[in-house]
Amino acid sequence: MRIAVRILCLLLLSSCSLVQVQQPFMTNTAGGDVARVLRDRCESLFAPGTFQQVHSIRFSKADGRGATVLGVTVRDGDTLKCGLMGVEGFVLFEAELGESLKIERALPPFDNSAFAAGLMEDVQTLFLLPDGDVVNCGTSSEGEQLCRYEQSYGRSTDIIVSEGDTFHINVYDDKKRRVKNVVFRSFTDTAIGRTAGEIELTVPGSRGYTLTMNLISAEKI
Amino acid sequence: MKRIYLILAFTVFVFCFPLFLHAGKEKAGQPLIRSVQADFVQEKQLPILAKPLFSRGRFIFQAPQSLRWEYFTPLHTVLLMRQGQVRKFIEEDGSFREEQGMGVDAMQIVLQEISGWLDGNISDTETFSVTEVGEERIILTPRDGAFAKFIRRIELQLADQAGFMKTVTLYEGEGAYTKMSFTDSVLNGKIPETTFVSP
C-alpha cells in the first residue's frame, strides 16, 4: 500500500512538472492613443542607441547545478555582441549577432553550436525589441496589460507591464506554450536610461535552466 | 560544468605562476619566499568591449601551496586553495555561497604543474617556453596542447624587489588581454592559517 502511495505521489509530481503554461487570450485590444501609450511603455524596456552592459550571471540548471560568470552585452547599431567570462577574467564565450551569428571564441562547454545559438537567442530576448509586424496591445484574459508580437512560424512574444515597475517577457511556441519567461525588476537610473537591476530568465522543462542576472554597469558608447 | 572549473583552474595556474615560481627556493642574493601578498587591479579588454572592465582584489600566497585569491569588485568572490583542496565562494545578499562542483580533479592538474616548478627550473617546464627580455620582463609562450588554444602568451613584468611582480598580462587573442597590476606587496608577512580556510 505504501509503495502504491509513493508511486502515485511520484506520478503526480512528474505530471505537475510537465504542465506547460498556455498563452492567455487577449480580451480587450486597445486602439488609438491608449494602444500607443501602452506600446511605448512596453518598448521602454529596451535601451535605445548603443550601449555596453555588464551583469553577473548565475546560471542554474534544472538539476540545481550551475556557475556564476560575468556577461558583457554591447549593442552597436543593429549588431549585438555578447561575451561571457569567468569572474577571474578568462573569456569563455564571445559572439556577434548581426545579419548572421559569428562566434569569435567558444571554450567548452560553450563550444556547442546549439548552445551558442540558444544563448544568443536569450540575449536577443533580453536586449532587443521582439521582431514581428503585428503588434496587439491590450488586456489579457488574466487581466495583464501587454503588447503581443506575432512572429514567424506561429511564435509570439508578450511584453507584460506589471504594477510596481516590473516587466515580464513571455515567449510562446507555435502551439501557444510558454517556452521562455523573463522578469525584469529593480529598475535604476543609469547612463542609458532606466535599466533593470535584476533580470531572471527561465526556460522550463527537465532540460531547462535559469539565468539570474544582476546589473553591474550600463554605459553609453 | 566541470570544464568551466578546469578553465578556472588554468587561470589560477597562469596568474599564480610567478608566485609559485620562486616559492621555497633560496637563490643567491634573494630571500627565501615563504609568503607573498599584494593588492591588484585587473584590467580586462576584449575586441567587443567599448570600455575595459576593471576588477580589484587581493592575492595571498603561502608556501608551499596555500592561496587566497579574492576579488572585491565587481563581484565579491574568494577562491581558497589549501592542502590540495580548492573551494570557491561568491557573496550574495551579504553571505557567501560555495560554488558547487569545484573540480578537485581540475586542480590536481594545476598542483602537479606547481610541484614541477618547485622542483625544477622554469625553462624546463613542458607547458611554457620562456624568453627573458632584459632583466625585468619574461615572456611565457605555451608550447602546445590545451593552453595554446586559448593563451597566446603571458608577459611578466618584474618589480625591483625579488619575489614581486609589477604586472602579469595574459594575451588571449587579437585585442583580448587580462592585465593584473600589483601594489602594496608584502613579502614573508605572517599570515594566519584561517586566511585559507574560509571566506
Side-chain angles (χ1 to χ4, degrees):
Chain A
M1 184 63 181
R2 239 185 250 167
I3 293 170
V5 171
R6 279 182 190 175
I7 290 170
L8 187 63
C9 286
L10 277 173
L11 283 171
L12 278 170
L13 282 171
S14 59
S15 62
C16 286
S17 68
L18 292 173
V19 171
Q20 285 188 303
V21 178
Q22 289 288 319
Q23 189 173 35
F25 297 107
M26 294 282 277
T27 54
N28 182 14
T29 305
D33 286 346
V34 176
R36 203 168 304 121
V37 168
L38 184 52
R39 188 169 173 170
D40 285 348
R41 187 103 197 270
C42 290
E43 296 183 359
S44 72
L45 181 59
F46 303 96
T50 57
F51 60 77
Q52 175 175 303
Q53 290 191 46
V54 181
H55 292 87
S56 69
I57 305 174
R58 168 85 187 143
F59 176 80
S60 314
K61 284 174 24 178
D63 63 5
R65 293 164 67 95
T68 301
V69 294
L70 291 178
V72 180
T73 311
V74 176
R75 184 178 171 184
D76 186 1
D78 291 333
T79 304
L80 205 55
K81 301 170 187 175
C82 165
L84 290 180
M85 64 192 81
V87 176
E88 295 75 18
F90 211 86
V91 182
L92 305 163
F93 180 84
E94 194 182 342
E96 195 175 307
L97 185 67
E99 287 181 0
S100 62
L101 176 61
K102 192 170 147 195
I103 298 168
E104 305 281 358
R105 184 183 179 89
L107 298 181
F110 303 104
D111 55 346
N112 175 310
S113 58
F115 176 90
L119 180 68
M120 291 310 283
E121 197 182 291
D122 286 348
V123 173
Q124 266 184 300
T125 303
L126 296 172
F127 297 102
L128 292 183
L129 191 66
D131 56 0
D133 295 332
V134 182
V135 184
N136 290 315
C137 301
T139 310
S140 76
S141 53
E142 292 177 359
E144 296 165 323
Q145 297 266 291
L146 61 84
C147 305
R148 178 162 294 169
Y149 298 77
E150 302 289 350
Q151 295 155 314
S152 53
Y153 305 109
R155 293 176 305 116
S156 56
T157 298
D158 288 352
I159 299 177
I160 300 161
V161 181
S162 305
E163 294 297 321
D165 217 9
T166 301
F167 288 78
H168 293 254
I169 292 180
N170 289 332
V171 180
Y172 299 92
D173 68 8
D174 59 342
K175 294 185 174 62
K176 308 297 178 197
R177 293 176 302 202
R178 192 168 75 186
V179 291
K180 197 173 293 180
N181 162 242
V182 191
V183 185
F184 299 81
R185 61 171 84 90
S186 304
F187 281 78
T188 178
D189 288 320
T190 69
I192 61 170
R194 268 188 94 61
T195 310
E198 291 175 38
I199 302 173
E200 190 168 287
L201 181 149
T202 306
V203 172
S206 57
R207 300 183 71 181
Y209 56 89
T210 300
L211 304 179
T212 308
M213 303 170 59
N214 287 289
L215 184 69
I216 291 171
S217 64
E219 296 174 282
K220 269 186 183 168
I221 55 173
Chain B
M1 203 55 65
K2 253 183 199 170
R3 287 173 176 177
I4 291 182
Y5 293 116
L6 184 61
I7 289 162
L8 168 65
F10 276 120
T11 314
V12 175
F13 164 86
V14 165
F15 284 122
C16 295
F17 189 85
L19 299 175
F20 292 119
L21 190 64
H22 300 289
K25 299 276 181 186
E26 192 160 22
K27 292 183 179 178
Q30 293 183 2
L32 176 75
I33 297 174
R34 293 185 304 273
S35 73
V36 181
Q37 41 192 317
D39 292 335
F40 65 83
V41 173
Q42 180 177 297
E43 178 187 349
K44 180 80 209 173
Q45 185 57 278
L46 287 173
I48 66 164
L49 286 177
K51 295 176 180 177
L53 304 179
F54 288 95
S55 312
R56 288 176 188 280
R58 186 160 180 80
F59 228 106
I60 305 174
F61 167 75
Q62 169 97 52
Q65 287 186 359
S66 295
L67 176 75
R68 181 184 176 101
W69 187 4
E70 183 168 12
Y71 285 84
F72 302 122
T73 63
L75 287 181
H76 192 183
T77 66
V78 181
L79 188 134
L80 300 173
M81 191 161 97
R82 182 174 170 262
Q83 295 174 350
Q85 278 205 323
V86 182
R87 300 172 76 192
K88 186 178 175 183
F89 300 86
I90 295 182
E91 189 183 348
E92 285 176 351
D93 303 324
S95 59
F96 282 97
R97 175 181 56 76
E98 185 168 1
E99 285 269 277
Q100 294 302 317
M102 275 300 298
V104 174
D105 47 350
M107 287 312 293
Q108 285 303 329
I109 297 169
V110 176
L111 293 172
Q112 278 167 19
E113 287 287 344
I114 290 163
S115 304
W117 299 334
L118 291 170
D119 289 341
N121 192 298
I122 183 172
S123 60
D124 290 334
T125 178
E126 289 181 6
T127 315
F128 295 107
S129 65
V130 179
T131 313
E132 290 192 31
V133 183
E135 289 187 353
E136 294 184 343
R137 196 162 149 237
I138 296 173
I139 298 173
L140 309 170
T141 311
R143 287 185 189 279
D144 206 338
F147 260 133
K149 282 184 188 168
F150 47 89
I151 297 175
R152 289 203 177 167
R153 70 180 191 284
I154 301 161
E155 284 190 17
L156 315 178
Q157 193 74 38
L158 308 179
D160 295 335
Q161 193 180 347
F164 289 154
M165 290 283 145
K166 273 185 189 163
T167 61
V168 177
T169 311
L170 189 152
Y171 293 90
E172 293 167 68
E174 201 63 46
Y177 65 83
T178 307
K179 181 177 182 180
M180 292 182 94
S181 303
F182 298 95
T183 56
D184 298 324
S185 303
V186 178
L187 189 65
N188 292 338
K190 194 168 168 57
I191 300 168
E193 191 59 23
T194 49
T195 305
F196 308 104
V197 177
S198 63

